[in-house]
Amino acid sequence: MISISGLIGQIFAIALALLLAPVLSGWVGQCRAWFQNRTAPPLLQPYYMLHKLFHKDVVLAHGASSLFRSAPFVVFGCMVLACAIIPALSTDLPLAPAADALALVGVFGLARVFISLAAMDVGTSFGTLGGRREMLVGFLAEPALLMVIFTLAMIAQSTSVTTIVETLAHREFLVFPSLAFAGIAFTMVSLAENARVPVDNPATHLELTMIHEAMILEYSGRHLALIEWAASLKLYAYSCLGLALFFPWGIAEGERFSGLLLAIPMLVLKLAIGGFLLAGIETINAKLRIFRAPEFLGTAFMLAVLGLLVRLMLEGSA
Amino acid sequence: MSATISFSAQLINLFAALILLLAFAMLAQRRVMQLINLFAYQGLALCLSTLVVAVSTGQTHLYWSAGLTLLLKALLLPWILHRLVRRLQVKWDVESLINIPTTMLVGIGLVIVAFNVAHPISELSSTITRGTLAIALAVVMLAFLMMITRTKAIPQVVGFLAMENGLFLAATSATYGMPMVVELGIALDVLVGAIILGVFFFQIREQFDSLDIRHMERLKDN
């Protein structure tokens, strides 16, 4: 059933995700610094951070339960699974039947629940605040993400991520307004989900505005390293998902290594462009007030629903 | 499977979707100036879609319609409205009766209704643009919604004008446009309407010191 080359491709995809994700975060940080006329940190800065954190001791709060200690591993595991089933390089992934696009949203949801619970576990006010805000953003972002997936699933007649990507990569070039709507909605959801600027600022520790940072304030040492790594994996996973769904060119299919060799530089190039654009979005936008976040995500939901409706109406006969 | 849809039909669909998106953007817009700009963009998209229909079907009178749309809805009317806003000095935020996310949800409901209503009709039609009839209907209804939910006079007028955009799109998509006389008449109507409403704004403000039309619900001074 599972071919050797598929297995190798799968392992390779996971290894590449683990290696490339911190670099992607570093690249976005670097672009942001250039945009803002600051001296950029080195590209491998996230690696230095991880190295430092893995060699530090863990300091636990007195009231921390086992949930607090296990949450980083659960979150990290979820993100690795997500990266494993998203066809970033090749659509021949033995793990892909483990979760279709809907379950993928669930995997992200599981990670979110655990990190929010862990944030509330210690009982500091910041953690609770961050956890609640995260859940607010999550419960608004999830329906929009599902709507985007429904639109794409209707085009491909399947909810499996690999099938969707294969269908989209093989169609002749057509102007699909529904895909454009879905693409914009997906970008907005990704910004919100990855704690990026219009909704959250990944670089801030200002108590009034932080969401993601507030949740992980109590973590230290290897736990913090795992969470930071998981955060960059999440960014990588969302980027790869967006690239695979909306720009599916250059992804290898079938069991040939030559395709894989071509897919890697394509992926790196696409990620570099995507990261550059992300940094651009983050620079030209101001952070929204937290009470405006529902409006932002409501717009994303509306766009996704419009995409679905336009798909039904305009392209129904197609 | 999709080879049946020609490139021009795709372009028309794209512009129709853009018009729908702009209708939603207008519904969500808080600032008067941006609202007028969005209206101008909608006029531009309408002009482009008419142009594509004209090129693909070879109906010469549609070129005139497209030109008229560009001149009137993308340039002249926004300019008049901009001038009005400047002279009335009403750059404040637009107030709406229900908050914006709710308005958007209602709008989505309206789009679903419009699509359901228009679907059987567009099945009967054989024009290249039949899919856009539903969008045209949706744009009309969204403009209605905007006129209902806004309390200030200028957004209501923009809503009225946007409704005319929707009607124009409907006419183009259902029957490749109305006869030239009708079209000219409507265009002139809209223009004159906008000018008269402009005069009205000054009168309303003189009377009530505000452009909030809720003041007009009372007929007598007590």
Side-chain angles (χ1 to χ4, degrees):
Chain A
M1 291 282 279
I2 297 176
S3 63
I4 299 292
S5 67
L7 202 64
I8 295 173
Q10 180 72 73
I11 292 169
F12 187 70
I14 295 175
L16 192 74
L18 288 174
L19 285 177
L20 217 51
V23 181
L24 178 65
S25 301
W27 167 247
V28 174
Q30 220 171 20
C31 289
R32 253 181 94 165
W34 287 331
F35 274 124
Q36 296 165 358
N37 268 338
R38 288 185 286 126
T39 312
L43 186 63
L44 297 180
Q45 182 63 37
Y47 275 124
Y48 304 144
M49 283 286 291
L50 290 179
H51 179 80
K52 182 185 81 180
L53 287 172
F54 271 120
H55 284 85
K56 284 199 166 188
D57 282 337
V58 171
V59 182
L60 279 178
H62 290 300
S65 71
S66 57
L67 177 82
F68 185 79
R69 268 169 283 144
S70 57
F73 299 96
V74 175
V75 173
F76 188 74
C78 283
M79 291 311 155
V80 172
L81 177 62
C83 286
I85 57 182
I86 291 170
L89 287 175
S90 144
T91 52
D92 181 28
L93 296 171
L95 270 181
D100 65 354
L102 303 181
L104 184 66
V105 180
V107 170
F108 286 126
L110 182 69
R112 180 182 309 116
V113 167
F114 262 87
I115 199 168
S116 304
L117 284 178
M120 296 183 180
D121 184 62
V122 187
T124 60
S125 50
F126 276 147
T128 316
L129 175 146
R132 288 178 177 185
R133 286 181 177 175
E134 172 78 3
M135 292 317 280
L136 171 76
V137 170
F139 115 94
L140 291 163
E142 230 164 63
L145 186 56
L146 281 173
M147 281 294 164
V148 171
I149 287 171
F150 288 155
T151 310
L152 297 165
M154 273 175 65
I155 294 176
Q157 308 281 324
S158 159
T159 57
S160 152
V161 188
T162 48
T163 316
I164 293 176
V165 171
E166 273 172 5
T167 316
L168 290 179
H170 279 284
R171 76 195 150 90
E172 57 200 299
F173 183 73
L174 284 174
V175 186
F176 271 139
S178 57
L179 266 186
F181 282 130
I184 300 170
F186 183 82
T187 311
M188 294 172 80
V189 170
S190 315
L191 288 175
E193 286 263 4
N194 286 294
R196 291 286 148 180
V197 147
V199 178
D200 186 10
N201 189 347
T204 188
H205 281 92
L206 183 67
E207 60 267 25
L208 286 176
T209 59
M210 59 183 172
I211 300 175
H212 181 74
E213 289 298 321
M215 289 194 297
I216 61 174
L217 272 182
E218 294 296 322
Y219 276 111
S220 57
R222 61 175 188 277
H223 292 160
L224 184 59
L226 277 178
I227 287 187
E228 294 282 0
W229 204 347
S232 47
L233 275 173
K234 190 176 184 183
L235 180 64
Y236 176 85
Y238 266 93
S239 312
C240 284
L241 187 60
L243 292 173
L245 292 177
F246 300 105
F247 304 97
W249 305 293
I251 291 177
E253 282 167 40
E255 304 177 349
R256 274 172 293 118
F257 279 105
S258 54
L260 212 58
L261 285 179
L262 183 72
I264 296 169
M266 276 297 280
L267 178 71
V268 172
L269 181 70
K270 285 195 282 187
L271 281 176
I273 296 172
F276 183 77
L277 292 178
L278 173 63
I281 293 174
E282 286 204 279
T283 307
I284 59 173
N285 279 301
K287 192 192 158 304
L288 293 171
R289 282 195 306 149
I290 186 87
F291 299 114
R292 279 285 172 86
E295 207 166 292
F296 179 78
L297 289 165
T299 311
F301 177 72
M302 186 208 79
L303 283 170
V305 174
L306 275 189
L308 195 66
L309 289 173
V310 166
R311 166 78 202 153
L312 276 175
M313 191 62 214
L314 288 186
E315 299 147 14
S317 52
Chain B
M1 65 176 190
S2 0
T4 48
I5 293 192
S6 65
F7 183 66
S8 52
Q10 288 172 43
L11 268 185
I12 293 164
N13 283 353
L14 182 68
F15 283 123
L18 201 64
I19 291 171
L20 184 65
L21 183 64
L22 284 167
F24 265 103
M26 284 159 83
L27 206 58
Q29 186 52 255
R30 283 206 167 81
R31 308 233 166 91
V32 180
M33 282 298 199
Q34 262 87 333
L35 189 64
I36 296 169
N37 288 343
L38 285 173
F39 170 71
Y41 295 142
Q42 200 181 35
L44 191 64
L46 189 63
C47 160
L48 289 175
S49 97
T50 316
L51 210 59
V52 175
V53 178
V55 170
S56 59
T57 62
Q59 306 257 346
T60 40
H61 78 271
L62 279 178
Y63 287 109
W64 288 100
S65 318
L68 205 62
T69 311
L70 179 70
L71 203 67
L72 207 63
K73 287 173 198 152
L75 300 173
L76 190 60
L77 282 174
W79 180 72
I80 292 176
L81 287 169
H82 267 293
R83 234 172 60 111
L84 270 176
V85 169
R86 262 203 310 277
R87 286 183 51 195
L88 287 163
Q89 303 199 324
V90 280
K91 284 183 188 165
W92 57 66
D93 284 3
V94 174
E95 287 170 31
S96 59
L97 289 175
I98 27 182
N99 68 6
I100 283 175
T102 318
T103 320
M104 302 249 246
L105 286 182
V106 177
I108 289 177
L110 283 180
V111 174
I112 293 172
V113 170
F115 279 19
N116 262 324
V117 170
H119 192 63
I121 305 172
S122 53
E123 294 276 277
L124 298 174
S125 167
S126 60
T127 55
I128 188 173
T129 50
R130 61 180 177 277
T132 52
L133 185 63
I135 288 193
L137 194 60
V139 171
V140 171
M141 289 172 89
L142 287 174
F144 253 132
L145 182 64
M146 190 166 118
M147 287 177 73
I148 293 168
T149 55
R150 296 301 170 88
T151 57
K152 292 286 191 307
I154 292 180
Q156 292 208 338
V157 169
V158 176
F160 168 72
L161 296 172
M163 197 159 73
E164 209 277 326
N165 276 352
L167 286 175
F168 188 87
L169 186 63
T172 325
S173 59
T175 61
Y176 292 147
M178 300 169 264
M180 203 60 212
V181 186
V182 181
E183 218 157 84
L184 271 177
I186 290 181
L188 218 59
D189 261 6
V190 170
L191 185 62
V192 171
I195 291 170
I196 292 176
L197 285 165
V199 176
F200 253 46
F201 290 157
F202 285 100
Q203 295 293 331
I204 295 171
R205 197 182 58 161
E206 199 132 300
Q207 207 72 31
F208 301 108
D209 280 337
S210 155
L211 276 178
D212 197 330
I213 44 109
R214 275 178 297 186
H215 292 295
M216 294 169 75
E217 286 168 8
R218 269 188 313 144
L219 291 177
K220 284 185 287 190
D221 282 332
N222 297 321

